[in-house]
Amino acid sequence: MNEYTYILDIRLYHPSVDPEQVSQTLGMTPKYKAKAGEPRFTPKGRRLEGVHSQSYWSCDPFDMRWCSSHERSVDDALVDILEVLEPHAGFLLELARDGRNTIWFSSHSNRNFTIEIPPDTLARLAALKISLVHDVYQGE
């Protein structure tokens, strides 16, 4: 197997939920959050035009940052995230009615690589209405 590096983030989008409610319910501190209707800012704090059209909440749940595929498989990391999220299934399913639940999987590699997510992991993601988004970066 060729090595690659990756990072996983939980990213939740909803037309009106308060990001503080997400933080309290999941018991996690977001890396980024925005409430629908609030002014927009760059990560450095510069004001942008307009307001957020929807609420957004993002978290690297275990502060894993970039991991090597040789140290830990993506599937193992996904299973760990699912174990944290599954007790909050009702809340996540409620968010999914009008919003979107995702786990954002970004990867880097200088070579081709293969990732296999087993059916049981995919079923667990689907049961929580969580999409898996794979964002690929060329090179390291």
Side-chain angles (χ1 to χ4, degrees):
M1 174 176 83
N2 289 325
E3 184 174 4
Y4 59 92
T5 57
Y6 69 91
I7 190 168
L8 296 172
D9 291 306
I10 301 166
R11 297 185 186 189
L12 307 176
Y13 306 83
H14 191 271
S16 61
V17 74
D18 185 338
E20 290 303 320
Q21 180 185 5
V22 176
S23 298
Q24 290 174 5
T25 301
L26 299 181
M28 296 182 205
T29 302
K31 185 175 178 182
Y32 301 105
K33 66 179 178 174
K35 188 174 181 180
E38 289 184 344
R40 296 175 55 231
F41 293 90
T42 67
K44 293 185 177 184
R46 186 175 59 80
R47 177 78 165 91
L48 297 169
E49 287 187 31
V51 296
H52 290 280
S53 62
Q54 63 183 341
S55 293
Y56 171 73
W57 186 94
S58 174
C59 177
D60 176 354
F62 306 114
D63 199 25
M64 293 187 308
R65 304 214 169 107
W66 288 94
C67 299
S68 166
S69 59
H70 288 300
E71 295 170 13
R72 183 176 192 199
S73 74
V74 169
D75 183 50
D76 287 344
L78 283 170
V79 167
D80 290 345
I81 291 172
L82 284 165
E83 288 174 1
V84 169
L85 293 177
E86 285 170 333
H88 308 287
F91 179 72
L92 292 168
L93 293 172
E94 182 66 30
L95 285 179
R97 284 186 192 180
D98 296 318
R100 190 163 54 106
N101 301 333
T102 66
I103 294 180
W104 199 275
F105 160 41
S106 299
S107 64
H108 285 258
S109 181
N110 288 325
R111 302 180 64 161
N112 288 354
F113 62 93
T114 301
I115 297 166
E116 181 177 356
I117 308 299
D120 59 328
T121 303
L122 294 171
R124 289 171 74 182
L125 288 164
L128 298 174
K129 302 287 187 199
I130 297 174
S131 297
L132 183 62
V133 178
H134 188 190
D135 186 20
V136 180
Y137 294 90
Q138 187 177 25
E140 283 195 69

